[in-house]
Amino acid sequence: MEAKKHKNTHKGAALLFLVFSLLFFVLFARFVQLQVTGVADGQVLAAKAEEKYKQKRTIEARRGTIFDRNGEALAEDTPSYTVVAVLDPKMTTDPSHPKHVVDPEMTAKKLAPLLDMDVSEVERVLKKKAKQVEFGTHGRNISYELKKKIEALKLPGIGFIRDTKRFYPNGMFASHIIGYAQKTEKSGNETIGIMGLEKSLNDYLREKDGYVAFRGDSEGFRLPDTKETIVPPDNGDNVYLTIDQKIQTFLEDSMNQVEKQYKPKKIIAIVANPKTGEILAMGTRPSFDPNKRNIENYLNDAISYPYEPGSTMKIFTLAAAINEGVYNGNELYRSGSYKVGPNEIRDHNRVGWGTISFNEGVQRSSNVAFAILVKEKLGEDRFLQYLHRFHFHEKTGIDLPGEAVGNIVYKYPIEKLTTAFGQGTSVTPIQQIQAATAIANGGKMMKPYVIDRIVDPDTKKVVVEHHPEVVGQPITKETAQKVLDILETVVTSENGTGRPYQIEGYRVAGKTGTAQIPSPKGGYLTGYDNYIFSFLGMAPKENPQLLMYVAVQQPKLSYTETGAAPVSMIFNTVMKNSLQYLNIRPSSKSIETKEEKKGISLESYVGVPVEEAVQELKEKGLTPIVIGNGGQIEAQLPSAGEDVIAGERVILKTNGKAVMPDIRGWSLRDIMKVVELLHLQPSMKGYGYAVTQNIRPGTEVKKDDYLIVELAKPEKWKERMKEEKKTKTKKDSGKPVD
């Protein structure tokens, strides 16, 4: 029995020895393999060891800053913070100093108002089953000031992750030029330009983080006697624009005012230095705040919106005719209409002004005058050459993304003549600015640009630099001066359409434009304010330092206002403020001063007795029209502060019953004063002066009554008045009337 037990013991020992021997050989083989190959489970052990002990710290780089011409930051990186909430109770080691959110309900009530979130929404986030949570867009990119407010609440478990964000200190400011940049999911933690210069210059502005690498222990501390590797950060290049923050601010403020008051579909404005081509300000509406990215229109309409410019195009037709020696400003022509084959070109008032000089035709913006200049004086082929000389057939090449080009429509005879006054052919605002530099700069046409230079912030090396560039000389210096002289009369002459653009102390030269808008149904839109109203002007006229284009599309005008009201609100304000800011002294020979001004500034007569108001207006050379039988003035048009000309009708509404005046012989403008004061519903037929009215003079009228008026050309109106006078004479004499 004992022998058998002893035998079994030997067998067990042998088996155990065999197992341990096998295990030893397996481990030994594995050890040899690791020593020879240095690889385990497909991973290099030396690399893993290096990874474990090697520490790496990121050195953040800055995206390049965009500055204005004077070094004011327009786009820059600033510190930002992301709010986080720690929900894991294990993070708290001392219950008296909790490191996680202990009371979600209380935390939500205090935190929600600061993050602009609902309390229930914050509470839902805080009750998630997670170790750490964020609060979406409401908790990202918060400012340092908001961070301090949240910290002051001393909420357990609420912390912050430091980051940077792209910040635009001026908000809505040259937004379509600058564009915006942001961090997206695709870009990871990198800021990428999405629009405008932020996008087109992204390779220059883009930063690259650096790092410091060293061998450290498990706690992250550097091991002694080890070397560190430093890769310095590569900051993005800084961009300096030609934009002037002051002038851009003047422009933004005035556009905001017009947008609020007139609610137009679009506003486009550009201010340039005609001597260099530098863009000093550029803005559009609708616009956006790049910090909020509330974008309606992604296109920069100043360079991307080709449209029929209207009469501002006449500047270049005039320049071509003068340059070719075929313009005689004192020569007479018949205004009103001009036959072109089966078609007829008409002046904007449909009837013209009789036989007038070409200079007066320019002042009155006569379409017929410019059709004759091209057809009979300049020649259609030669005019086309000048369109090319002024580069209306190609892009300007401005250093902004998204530039479009207009379309010269020049196939049929009628198209060749309508192009002369800005219909049919389309151009962009920046094309007009480039072409107009030739007028303001002695015949030399300057390429527009907005990027002055790009600089490496570390080495101060100029990476890119732009200089003024002459892109053509379509006209001579003498021609440019003659055009300026004539364009000044557009602003100063009693007949000039540019009178609203006079600036006290400065001589302004320019041209108005009223562009028709194509209808989706064919033809053009109709209606009092369905136009693009514009002005292209320069000052001081004797040596233009600023060139400005303003266009306002489909503003909501009152019946007594013209399209010049919103356009001049922008042009006059920006031009005058900019000239003064640049220390450009007033003209030594200003065309008008307050004492010399031919217009009369109207006072307020509201509350004044009727007889006193009538007497005072007559003494000023004006024509008062009293509506109603009350004793005091209740309302007036034109309003107080508006400039009126001698003999103009001033409508005075009394506090008594409103009665209809005799408006026969009145112009549409005067009729609309009555319509607005009495709140009537107008229906006008024809053009010219009133010959009939459906509401008899002296009849009491009420709000929303319909006023139907027939208008006729001056000749027909005079004939009608003669007939009525003749009929009245027959009646008075007792003779039979036909």
Side-chain angles (χ1 to χ4, degrees):
M1 186 72 177
E2 288 183 8
K4 186 177 181 181
K5 185 177 179 181
H6 186 71
K7 185 179 181 181
N8 288 337
T9 300
H10 281 291
K11 284 183 178 179
L15 182 61
L16 190 61
F17 175 78
L18 184 62
V19 170
F20 276 104
S21 297
L22 184 61
L23 182 61
F24 172 78
F25 281 113
V26 169
L27 291 174
F28 181 76
R30 180 64 169 165
F31 175 75
V32 172
Q33 180 199 15
L34 293 177
Q35 287 293 322
V36 173
T37 65
V39 175
D41 296 329
Q43 298 189 31
V44 179
L45 296 179
K48 289 295 289 182
E50 181 71 11
E51 182 182 321
K52 181 176 180 180
Y53 292 105
K54 187 175 182 179
Q55 302 294 330
K56 187 176 181 181
R57 299 286 186 269
T58 299
I59 305 174
E60 289 186 358
R62 285 175 59 89
R63 184 174 175 86
T65 300
I66 299 177
F67 296 99
D68 86 328
R69 67 187 299 111
N70 299 313
E72 298 290 338
L74 306 181
E76 60 185 343
D77 277 3
T78 59
S80 69
Y81 303 88
T82 298
V83 185
V84 296
V86 178
L87 306 182
D88 188 359
K90 294 179 181 178
M91 297 302 295
T92 297
T93 55
D94 182 358
S96 60
H97 295 90
K99 301 296 183 184
H100 74 287
V101 176
V102 179
D103 188 340
E105 290 80 4
M106 179 274 293
T107 303
K109 286 180 182 179
K110 291 187 176 182
L111 190 60
L114 294 178
L115 295 183
D116 194 23
M117 296 175 69
D118 293 333
V119 174
S120 59
E121 188 179 358
V122 176
E123 194 174 320
R124 179 180 57 79
V125 174
L126 294 177
K127 289 183 177 180
K128 286 183 176 180
K129 293 182 178 180
K131 292 184 178 182
Q132 181 174 298
V133 293
E134 296 181 9
F135 297 89
T137 55
H138 293 276
R140 294 194 196 108
N141 291 326
I142 68 168
S143 65
Y144 177 75
E145 290 74 17
L146 181 54
K147 173 180 177 285
K148 298 299 289 183
K149 289 180 180 179
I150 295 173
E151 285 178 331
L153 297 176
K154 296 182 179 179
L155 299 172
I158 300 300
F160 305 91
I161 300 173
R162 190 183 184 282
D163 199 356
T164 59
K165 71 172 181 178
R166 198 64 168 167
F167 180 61
Y168 303 89
N170 298 299
M172 188 185 294
F173 182 94
S175 302
H176 283 90
I177 292 178
I178 299 168
Y180 71 94
Q182 67 176 143
K183 294 175 181 178
T184 64
E185 292 183 6
K186 291 183 179 179
S187 66
N189 199 42
E190 185 181 4
T191 302
I192 297 294
I194 307 297
M195 180 180 171
L197 290 177
E198 288 274 33
K199 180 179 181 180
S200 63
L201 298 180
N202 191 66
D203 288 344
Y204 290 103
L205 293 164
R206 194 175 194 170
E207 79 280 21
K208 186 177 181 181
D209 289 342
Y211 63 87
V212 54
F214 55 88
R215 291 176 62 83
D217 60 19
S218 59
E219 299 296 324
F221 294 107
R222 179 183 168 187
L223 295 173
D225 300 323
T226 58
K227 292 183 179 181
E228 62 183 11
T229 302
I230 299 176
V231 175
D234 183 9
N235 294 309
D237 295 331
N238 292 332
V239 176
Y240 291 83
L241 304 182
T242 61
I243 297 295
D244 190 302
Q245 187 187 45
K246 288 284 188 183
I247 298 176
Q248 185 71 36
T249 300
F250 296 149
L251 183 59
E252 298 287 349
D253 289 347
S254 63
M255 287 195 297
N256 287 341
Q257 187 178 352
V258 167
E259 186 176 41
K260 181 179 179 181
Q261 183 170 340
Y262 292 97
K263 298 176 175 58
K265 292 284 182 67
K266 288 181 185 289
I267 304 175
I268 303 170
I270 305 171
V271 183
N273 180 343
K275 309 298 185 186
T276 63
E278 294 169 293
I279 302 300
L280 303 177
M282 178 186 286
T284 63
R285 293 292 183 274
S287 188
F288 65 96
D289 182 343
N291 295 304
K292 300 176 181 177
R293 298 184 287 279
N294 48 341
I295 305 172
E296 293 181 43
N297 177 22
Y298 283 84
L299 296 177
N300 182 353
D301 288 331
I303 67 169
S304 303
Y305 182 33
Y307 53 88
E308 299 175 28
S311 295
T312 53
M313 195 71 174
K314 292 173 181 174
I315 293 175
F316 311 107
T317 310
L318 174 65
I322 292 175
N323 206 61
E324 287 296 306
V326 298
Y327 181 80
N328 180 357
N330 296 319
E331 183 182 348
L332 301 179
Y333 76 99
R334 179 71 181 175
S335 66
S337 62
Y338 186 72
K339 291 284 288 182
V340 184
N343 302 296
E344 189 174 41
I345 289 172
R346 287 186 172 276
D347 282 321
H348 56 82
N349 69 346
R350 312 292 295 178
V351 296
W353 306 270
T355 299
I356 59 176
S357 69
F358 277 95
N359 277 345
E360 186 175 342
V362 176
Q363 294 161 8
R364 293 187 181 276
S365 198
S366 167
N367 295 337
V368 171
F370 286 87
I372 293 173
L373 281 178
V374 170
K375 182 68 175 176
E376 301 180 16
K377 308 288 184 181
L378 187 60
E380 295 154 348
D381 292 341
R382 184 58 59 87
F383 178 51
L384 180 60
Q385 291 177 15
Y386 274 92
L387 293 175
H388 284 246
R389 281 193 188 188
F390 282 110
H391 290 196
F392 286 120
H393 64 298
E394 62 186 14
K395 296 178 181 180
T396 66
I398 188 172
D399 45 3
L400 285 172
E403 184 183 8
V405 65
N407 180 31
I408 298 176
V409 179
Y410 217 76
K411 183 176 181 181
Y412 299 104
I414 187 67
E415 294 171 342
K416 298 175 181 180
L417 301 193
T418 58
T419 293
F421 50 84
Q423 287 186 13
T425 286
S426 63
V427 298
T428 61
I430 197 64
Q431 282 182 295
Q432 292 190 72
I433 283 287
Q434 176 176 268
T437 60
I439 310 299
N441 190 38
K444 294 179 180 179
M445 191 164 66
M446 308 303 295
K447 180 179 180 177
Y449 65 101
V450 298
I451 300 170
D452 180 67
R453 64 192 185 278
I454 301 176
V455 180
D456 185 319
D458 301 318
T459 65
K460 308 304 179 186
K461 179 183 177 183
V462 177
V463 180
V464 174
E465 188 169 17
H466 290 165
H467 300 282
E469 180 183 347
V470 178
V471 291
Q473 187 160 353
I475 56 175
T476 64
K477 183 178 180 179
E478 293 72 24
T479 295
Q481 186 58 53
K482 289 177 182 177
V483 174
L484 280 173
D485 291 340
I486 296 172
L487 292 182
E488 183 182 23
T489 69
V490 172
V491 177
T492 61
S493 167
E494 288 186 15
N495 303 320
T497 58
R499 284 188 64 81
Y501 301 94
Q502 295 178 15
I503 298 175
E504 185 181 344
Y506 294 97
R507 300 169 69 180
V508 177
K511 184 71 191 71
T512 55
T514 304
Q516 291 182 293
I517 302 173
S519 170
K521 299 177 181 179
Y524 292 93
L525 295 178
T526 59
Y528 187 62
D529 47 19
N530 270 331
Y531 296 92
I532 300 175
F533 302 101
S534 62
F535 186 72
L536 179 55
M538 50 210 83
K541 174 259 174 179
E542 57 271 25
N543 183 22
Q545 301 297 308
L546 292 178
L547 168 64
M548 186 172 181
Y549 177 77
V550 182
V552 180
Q553 179 175 327
Q554 294 167 287
K556 297 189 183 303
L557 303 170
S558 69
Y559 287 118
T560 59
E561 289 179 311
T562 65
V567 178
S568 62
M569 187 181 292
I570 297 173
F571 180 87
N572 295 16
T573 302
V574 176
M575 181 62 82
K576 184 174 183 178
N577 288 340
S578 299
L579 289 169
Q580 292 175 344
Y581 158 68
L582 295 173
N583 293 318
I584 297 172
R585 300 181 64 180
S587 305
S588 57
K589 183 187 175 185
S590 176
I591 296 301
E592 289 190 348
T593 65
K594 285 184 177 179
E595 292 74 22
E596 297 170 332
K597 207 171 184 180
K598 296 181 180 179
I600 302 168
S601 183
L602 202 61
E603 297 176 10
S604 174
Y605 294 97
V606 176
V608 176
V610 172
E611 291 184 2
E612 182 182 331
V614 169
Q615 181 64 29
E616 189 172 327
L617 286 168
K618 285 183 177 179
E619 288 176 358
K620 290 184 175 182
L622 300 170
T623 306
I625 304 293
V626 179
I627 297 177
N629 53 10
Q632 284 191 331
I633 305 302
E634 186 178 76
Q636 70 181 66
L637 277 178
S639 302
E642 290 189 36
D643 288 342
V644 292
I645 60 175
E648 184 171 342
R649 291 183 177 89
V650 178
I651 315 300
L652 304 172
K653 182 179 180 296
T654 71
N655 54 358
K657 291 182 180 179
V659 295
M660 189 69 201
D662 186 349
I663 59 174
R664 290 174 300 174
W666 288 23
S667 67
L668 178 61
R669 184 169 183 266
D670 284 337
I671 295 169
M672 286 306 178
K673 295 175 187 175
V674 176
V675 167
E676 185 167 346
L677 272 182
L678 301 184
H679 304 288
L680 303 177
Q681 297 291 332
S683 177
M684 305 295 160
K685 299 179 179 179
Y687 300 91
Y689 298 89
V691 292
T692 64
Q693 60 186 92
N694 69 317
I695 303 177
R696 293 175 63 86
T699 304
E700 183 180 350
V701 292
K702 297 179 181 178
K703 182 181 178 181
D704 292 329
D705 279 353
Y706 279 89
L707 175 63
I708 302 172
V709 179
E710 181 185 353
L711 303 166
K713 297 178 181 180
E715 295 81 1
K716 289 189 177 181
W717 174 74
K718 289 177 182 177
E719 290 175 7
R720 185 71 171 262
M721 293 300 103
K722 284 181 181 178
E723 285 296 323
E724 287 194 8
K725 188 175 181 181
K726 184 177 179 182
T727 301
K728 187 176 183 299
T729 303
K730 285 184 178 181
K731 278 185 178 181
D732 292 342
S733 64
K735 294 180 180 180
V737 179
D738 293 337

